């Protein structure tokens, strides 16, 4: 299979890949799987009932990775895909998902990914999902990911969800169920500009004893863009949860943060923190006194904030 | 080297002048202290020199060039540096990022040296976020380390001793002094510490936004102890006629 320059650029942005990845992978382009590889421990199968794939990681698989980038390179594409991940007991793997749109036309280019992830007993998953959009076209880039993650006893997941520029409209829905001793650390980093709109609904159910979650969003809203966050943590057992939303607002942007915590157990410990504010003036002055121009100082501060 | 002429500063939108007609010259290669009571205008004077505040009237020249209207970063590029009294914290920027932004030489090896000079173990600090998790004293030392990296010809350190423990402070002072001497820099320390006042070539005494006096420690020290305390009291109370009385 040959990748075009555009394909490679998108792969670089969403998966830090220069070419076809090592290990197991599935590359989906404009609504079709174009290249796929399973390994001894990680099997990728095409779904029979729906568009999409099943990714099955054998129990005990350690230090392996799966890349499943999605490329949308044509205007007018409306791609819907269902992916299911089965992370076997005691496995320890990294999944790099992500979608990049290159839209040069006047129609919408849209990808809706519906992911269901099972982290089995004692397994560990690091999940990175990057969204990226580019192209000179006037058509909008739309990404609506939905992720459902079940973390069984003693399982652990770290999810990093990133969308920096280029995506015009996104509604992200994430739902997690944590059982005994399970933990989920989720960080969302987002930068919107222009007339972009981003919404994120997160709901984490702490169902098992001693489960733990930390849900963080770090976002920057520029120009005319709009962001809405609804992170919710619901504790139904002795458990701990922490929600933090922190946004930098600029220009004419609008940001709403509505963190919610709910406890249905007397031994639940939940906290939340939310802050929205402009770039601190003193930070600007400090960086400028080190020689940075105003523009460079803004970039540095945002780059750090979103790291 | 750096000269202020008739510099006045009013807080925008307010009538109050916090710097009042300051004429002051810093000579190349000299070591200065600026001292005076809290609220005397020390930090404001430093901010005027760095360009953080713009004078309401008067002018500032640096190496013969009028810099009154230059932006902060342009002054920085010309060789003026300022270590903040209250260095800001950054979410997400690490100590190493700040040091690399500041220094001409960005190598990890080199910036490590600056931390070591201010008494911080590089392994413990380089990759830490320069955020609220650092104590005031740690932040002050990192601030000084960035200025060591930046290496401006003219540097003002604003109360470098504040929040720093005594042992570390001796070290800091030595580093600043050695650098000053070795590289022929012009250095200004804003401080109240007698030890610092003993170390410098000249002391600038600023009270109520005005330069009260400039001179050696022998000359300034008695004034600080005596007159300033009293004047301050007078300014504040406004009802003390007799200086002798207020000294009692
Ligand atoms: N940005 C500002 N807004 C209002 N008042 C200020 C501002 N900056 C300084 N001042 C006031 O000006 C005076 C001098 O302050 P400063 O220069 O910080 O004094 P020092 O550093 O000598 O303690 C103080 O009364 C202070 O409250
Ligand atoms: Mg001060």
């Amino acid at each position: 299979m040959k990748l075009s320059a555009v394909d490679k650029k998108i792969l670089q942005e969403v998966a830090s890949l220069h070419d076809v990845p090592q290990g197991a992978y599935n590359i989906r382009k404009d609504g079709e799987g174009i290249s796929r590889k399973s390994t001894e421990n990680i099997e990728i199968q095409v779904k029979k009932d729906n568009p999409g794939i099943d990714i099955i990681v054998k129990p005990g698989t350690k230090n392996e990775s799966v890349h499943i980038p999605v490329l949308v390179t044509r205007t007018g594409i409306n791609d819907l895909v269902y992916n299911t991940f089965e992370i076997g007991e005691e496995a320890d793997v990294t999944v790099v998902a992500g979608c990049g749109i290159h839209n040069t036309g006047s129609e919408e280019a849209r990808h809706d990914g519906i992911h269901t992830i099972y982290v089995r007993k004692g397994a560990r998953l690091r999940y990175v999902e990057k969204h990226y959009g580019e192209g000179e076209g006037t058509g909008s880039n739309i990404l609506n990911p939905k992720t459902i993650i079940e973390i069984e006893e003693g399982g652990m997941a770290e999810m990093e969800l990133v969308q920096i520029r280029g995506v015009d409209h996104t509604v992200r829905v994430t739902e997690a169920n944590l059982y005994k001793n399970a933990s989920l650390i989720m960080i969302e980093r987002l930068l919107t500009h222009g007339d972009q709109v981003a919404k994120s609904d997160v709901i984490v159910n702490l169902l098992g004893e001693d489960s733990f979650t930390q849900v963080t969003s770090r976002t920057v809203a520029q120009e005319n863009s709009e962001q809405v966050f609804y992170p919710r943590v619901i504790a139904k057992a002795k458990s701990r949860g922490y929600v933090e939303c922190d946004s930098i607002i600029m220009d004419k942007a609008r940001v709403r943060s509505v963190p919610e915590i709910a406890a249905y157990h007397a031994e639940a410990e939940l906290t939340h923190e939310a802050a929205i504010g402009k770039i601190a003036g003193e930070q600007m002055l400090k960086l400028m006194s080190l020689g940075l121009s105003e523009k460079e100082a803004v970039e540095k501060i945002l780059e750090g904030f979103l790291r | 080297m750096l000269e202020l002429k008739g510099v006045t500063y009013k807080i925008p939108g307010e009538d109050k002048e916090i710097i009042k007609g300051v004429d002051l010259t810093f000579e190349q290669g000299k070591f200065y202290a600026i001292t005076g009571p809290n609220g005397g205008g020390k930090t404001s004077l430093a901010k005027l020199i760095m360009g953080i505040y713009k004078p309401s009237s008067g002018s500032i020249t640096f190496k013969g060039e009028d810099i009154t209207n230059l932006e902060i970063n342009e002054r920085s590029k010309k060789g003026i540096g300022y270590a903040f009294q209250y260095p800001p914290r950054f979410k997400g920027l690490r100590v190493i990022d700040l040091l690399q932004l500041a220094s001409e030489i960005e190598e990890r090896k080199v910036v490590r040296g600056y931390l070591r000079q201010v008494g911080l173990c590089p392994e413990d600090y380089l990759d830490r976020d320069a955020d609220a998790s650092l104590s005031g004293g740690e932040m002050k030392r990192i601030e000084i380390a960035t200025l060591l990296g930046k290496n401006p010809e003219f540097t003002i350190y604003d109360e470098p001793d504040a929040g720093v423990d005594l042992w570390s402070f001796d070290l800091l002072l030595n580093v600043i002094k050695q650098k000053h001497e070795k590289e022929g820099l012009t250095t200004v320390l804003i401080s109240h510490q007698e030890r610092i006042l003993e170390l410098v070539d000249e002391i600038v005494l600023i009270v109520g936004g005005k330069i009260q006096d400039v001179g050696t420690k022998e000359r300034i020290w008695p004034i600080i102890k005596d007159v300033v305390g009293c004047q301050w009291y007078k300014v504040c109370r406004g009802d003390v006629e007799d200086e002798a009385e207020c000294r009692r």
Side-chain angles (χ1 to χ4, degrees):
Chain A
M1 176 208 50
K2 234 177 108 48
L3 295 171
S4 72
V6 166
D7 296 346
K8 285 188 181 176
K9 166 92 194 299
I10 297 177
L11 278 179
Q12 166 69 29
E13 292 290 345
V14 300
S16 310
L17 291 172
H18 300 291
D19 214 314
V20 172
Q22 299 283 309
Y25 66 86
N26 183 80
I27 301 175
R28 183 179 178 87
K29 181 177 167 184
D30 300 330
E32 292 170 47
I34 56 163
S35 181
R36 175 168 55 248
K37 191 178 137 206
S38 296
T39 60
E40 202 183 320
N41 295 321
I42 301 175
E43 199 185 324
I44 302 179
Q45 295 169 348
V46 177
K47 272 193 196 299
K48 302 209 171 63
D49 47 348
N50 275 318
I53 49 176
D54 289 329
I55 295 132
I56 300 155
V57 177
K58 275 194 195 159
T61 303
K62 301 276 184 214
N63 301 321
E64 289 196 37
S65 62
V66 193
H67 287 83
I68 51 158
V70 172
L71 320 178
V72 177
T73 64
R74 296 207 316 259
T75 195
I77 289 274
N78 187 347
D79 186 23
L80 171 68
V81 65
Y82 298 84
N83 294 332
T84 305
F85 300 76
E86 164 80 32
I87 313 297
E89 287 185 14
E90 303 293 332
D92 185 351
V93 293
T94 300
V95 172
V96 182
C99 179
I101 300 181
H102 178 86
N103 188 356
T104 51
S106 57
E107 291 175 63
E108 280 181 10
R110 169 169 179 162
H111 173 79
D112 295 350
I114 298 171
H115 292 181
T116 309
I117 306 173
Y118 298 95
V119 178
R120 299 299 183 196
K121 277 188 183 166
R124 295 169 77 104
L125 168 68
R126 199 175 118 69
Y127 181 89
V128 184
E129 186 175 289
K130 284 195 183 146
H131 286 170
Y132 169 74
E134 60 169 33
E136 319 70 55
T138 50
S140 339
N141 298 335
I142 303 176
L143 285 170
N144 294 329
K146 177 168 184 184
T147 307
I148 296 162
I149 178 164
E150 299 274 323
I151 309 177
E152 292 185 354
E153 188 175 338
M156 197 183 136
E158 264 180 61
M159 299 177 81
E160 190 182 336
L161 311 166
V162 185
Q163 177 181 312
I164 310 287
R165 299 185 182 275
V167 180
D168 298 303
H169 201 282
T170 189
V171 177
R172 182 195 286 285
V173 177
T174 313
E175 192 183 320
N177 291 310
L178 274 62
Y179 299 91
K180 195 176 172 192
N181 271 320
S183 68
L184 171 66
I185 294 172
M186 188 178 142
I187 176 152
E188 189 166 15
R189 304 175 212 280
L190 189 78
L191 184 149
T192 55
H193 59 112
D195 292 315
Q196 296 176 350
V197 177
K199 294 191 174 154
S200 179
D201 274 344
V202 176
I203 177 160
V204 180
N205 293 303
L206 298 169
L207 303 174
E209 198 178 314
D210 293 323
S211 52
F212 167 76
T213 191
Q214 180 180 329
V215 180
T216 310
S217 67
R218 283 273 180 101
T219 79
V220 177
Q222 297 179 323
E223 297 169 359
N224 233 343
S225 64
E226 186 181 346
Q227 302 180 352
V228 184
F229 298 95
Y230 283 110
R232 290 199 280 161
V233 173
I234 298 169
K236 295 187 174 158
K238 170 179 177 281
S239 55
R240 285 181 307 131
Y242 177 63
V243 185
E244 185 191 327
C245 304
D246 201 344
S247 301
I248 291 179
I249 185 164
M250 300 168 76
D251 313 314
K252 294 198 158 137
R254 284 147 294 162
V255 179
R256 284 183 68 197
S257 274
V258 197
E260 181 184 327
I261 47 180
Y264 301 102
H265 194 286
E267 281 187 273
E269 277 179 50
L270 304 175
T271 52
H272 74 69
E273 249 180 88
I276 302 172
K278 61 178 194 300
I279 291 180
E282 286 288 302
Q283 295 182 351
M284 289 293 295
L285 298 173
K286 180 71 244 173
L287 295 188
M288 288 178 74
S289 77
L290 294 177
L292 277 68
S293 68
E294 197 171 328
K295 190 161 168 277
E296 289 164 340
V298 168
E299 276 168 17
K300 257 295 153 214
I301 291 165
L302 297 186
E303 182 192 310
F305 185 72
L306 290 170
R307 177 158 48 211
Chain B
M1 170 173 225
L2 191 139
E3 197 176 352
L4 295 97
K5 280 202 200 115
V7 170
T8 295
Y9 180 65
K10 258 191 221 164
I11 302 283
E14 286 179 38
D15 252 356
K16 193 177 136 203
E17 275 184 1
I18 57 178
I19 295 293
K20 298 167 186 157
V22 165
D23 293 306
L24 186 62
T25 306
F26 295 96
E27 282 166 39
Q28 157 79 41
K30 271 197 174 176
F31 204 175
Y32 293 89
I34 300 179
T35 196
N38 293 134
K42 303 180 292 297
T43 296
S44 302
L45 192 65
K47 288 183 173 175
L48 282 160
I49 292 171
M50 190 69 241
I52 294 170
Y53 289 167
K54 289 285 165 60
S56 320
S57 60
S59 69
I60 305 174
T61 54
F62 182 60
K63 297 200 281 187
E65 184 191 348
D66 188 333
I67 59 162
T68 317
N69 294 315
L70 288 191
E71 288 304 323
I72 305 168
N73 54 322
E74 294 167 320
R75 295 189 199 198
S76 164
K77 291 204 170 106
K78 298 224 175 273
I80 298 174
Y82 172 50
F84 284 33
Q85 181 173 5
Y86 304 107
R89 288 137 201 279
F90 294 85
K91 261 186 195 160
L93 285 186
R94 295 161 306 169
V95 173
I96 188 170
D97 296 324
L98 290 178
L99 289 171
Q100 285 179 330
L101 278 178
S103 350
E104 286 152 18
I105 308 159
E106 292 190 4
E107 276 171 66
R108 208 177 155 93
K109 195 172 72 202
V110 176
V111 298
R112 289 163 73 90
Y114 303 129
L115 279 185
R116 221 176 272 120
Q117 283 187 328
V118 298
L120 296 176
C121 182
E123 288 71 27
D124 296 343
Y125 287 92
L126 271 182
D127 295 314
R128 267 182 78 171
D129 279 356
D131 65 6
S133 70
L134 292 168
S135 77
E138 287 169 326
M139 207 56 222
K140 283 297 266 195
R141 289 199 254 172
I142 290 161
E143 175 79 354
I144 292 166
T146 58
L147 267 294
L148 295 178
K150 179 111 194 79
N151 198 22
E153 282 174 74
F154 178 96
T155 311
I156 307 177
Y157 295 92
D158 199 343
E159 304 203 17
D161 43 302
V164 173
D165 60 76
L166 271 177
W167 309 281
S168 315
F169 183 55
D170 274 339
L171 177 113
L172 283 184
L173 212 51
N174 272 332
V175 169
I176 293 173
K177 176 135 176 93
Q178 272 175 16
K179 195 170 171 67
H180 168 83
E181 282 166 1
K182 205 170 102 204
E183 302 183 29
L185 307 172
T186 310
T187 308
V188 184
L189 299 180
I190 296 177
S191 178
H192 310 284
Q193 298 263 347
E194 197 173 349
R195 275 165 44 250
I196 289 190
L197 303 184
E198 255 154 25
L199 206 76
V200 300
D201 302 320
E202 279 198 19
I203 300 171
V204 177
L205 176 59
I206 179 166
V207 183
K210 283 194 203 135
I211 304 294
Q212 176 91 21
D213 213 332
V214 182
T216 58
K217 193 196 169 204
E218 288 67 44
R219 181 187 156 99
I220 303 294
W221 191 243
I223 309 177
I224 297 173
K225 299 209 83 162
D226 215 21
V227 183
V228 171
C230 185
Q231 274 196 353
W232 199 239
Y233 189 65
K234 271 213 280 193
V235 171
C236 179
R237 288 272 307 270
D239 60 355
V240 180
E241 296 283 303
D242 181 6
E243 264 190 27
E245 184 194 326
C246 93
R247 244 173 269 168
R248 243 179 266 134

